[in-house]
């Protein structure tokens, strides 16, 4: 089992705000944790998801949780999350994190009288620094 604890605290005018979220994710059998240096002016693959295991590649259906953190203190990163059909970009500020709780992604709503979200499997997670070199950490768990 994997225990995830998210703690949020804000103190304003002696009024503490926030809370703790403690979740147990069952049937976890593997974790991977890496810190990568991403050179300025390049887009680097952090990891891929597919139907087979390989170097830097994990089985899509086994992803239980992933966190990507920008370890830079001064520059944002562009985080590119792609499926076979779509790409969604996120600006992750210095010290910021991006969390995934599944391998599903969509950037659009399929039309009609009763619109639905059409999810697809994430295929890759890539990163590009906004200016100078940066360090990015990822931590993920799979079943």
């Amino acid at each position: 089992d994997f225990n995830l604890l998210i703690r949020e605290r804000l103190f304003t005018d002696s009024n503490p705000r926030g809370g703790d979220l403690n979740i147990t994710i069952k049937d976890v059998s593997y974790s991977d944790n890496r810190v990568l240096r991403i050179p300025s002016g390049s887009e680097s693959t952090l990891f891929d998801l597919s139907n087979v295991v390989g170097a830097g590649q994990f089985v899509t259906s086994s992803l239980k949780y992933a966190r990507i953190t920008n370890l830079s203190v001064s520059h944002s990163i562009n985080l590119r999350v792609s499926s076979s059909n779509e790409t969604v970009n996120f600006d992750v500020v210095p010290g910021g994190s991006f969390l995934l709780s599944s391998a599903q992604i969509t950037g659009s709503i399929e039309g009609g009288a009763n619109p639905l979200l059409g999810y697809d499997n994430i295929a890759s997670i890539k990163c590009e620094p906004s200016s100078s070199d940066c360090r990015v950490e990822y931590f993920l768990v799979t079943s």
Side-chain angles (χ1 to χ4, degrees):
D1 291 352
F2 170 66
N3 185 31
L4 172 64
L5 171 64
I6 298 174
R7 174 168 282 167
E8 300 167 327
R9 295 287 185 266
L10 173 65
F11 296 94
T12 58
D13 300 327
S14 301
N15 246 348
R17 306 286 284 176
D20 293 346
L21 175 64
N22 195 349
I23 298 171
T24 300
I25 301 173
K26 301 275 188 199
D27 303 321
V28 169
S29 59
Y30 180 77
S31 69
D32 193 40
N33 181 222
R34 298 183 193 243
V35 174
L36 301 125
R37 183 185 154 279
I38 312 294
S40 175
S42 69
E43 181 179 74
S44 298
T45 300
L46 300 179
F47 57 89
D48 291 324
L49 297 170
S50 75
N51 291 328
V52 295
V53 175
Q57 186 166 294
F58 305 93
V59 175
T60 305
S61 61
S62 71
L63 182 72
K64 300 287 189 178
Y65 168 83
R67 174 186 50 80
I68 297 105
T69 299
N70 178 1
L71 299 175
S72 173
V73 296
S74 58
H75 303 291
S76 293
I77 60 170
N78 178 55
L79 190 66
R80 184 172 307 227
V81 182
S82 300
S83 73
S84 59
N85 297 321
E86 301 183 85
T87 298
V88 181
N89 292 281
F90 298 91
D91 180 42
V92 181
V93 298
S97 290
F98 180 84
L99 306 178
L100 289 169
S101 61
S102 79
Q104 298 292 295
I105 182 177
T106 188
S108 61
I109 297 176
E110 295 175 357
N114 298 310
L116 300 171
L117 294 174
Y119 288 103
D120 192 16
N121 290 329
I122 294 171
S124 69
I125 308 281
K126 297 180 179 183
C127 170
E128 181 178 5
S130 65
S131 56
S132 64
D133 295 1
C134 71
R135 289 185 327 123
V136 174
E137 177 186 31
Y138 78 76
F139 176 79
L140 62 82
V141 295
T142 63
S143 58

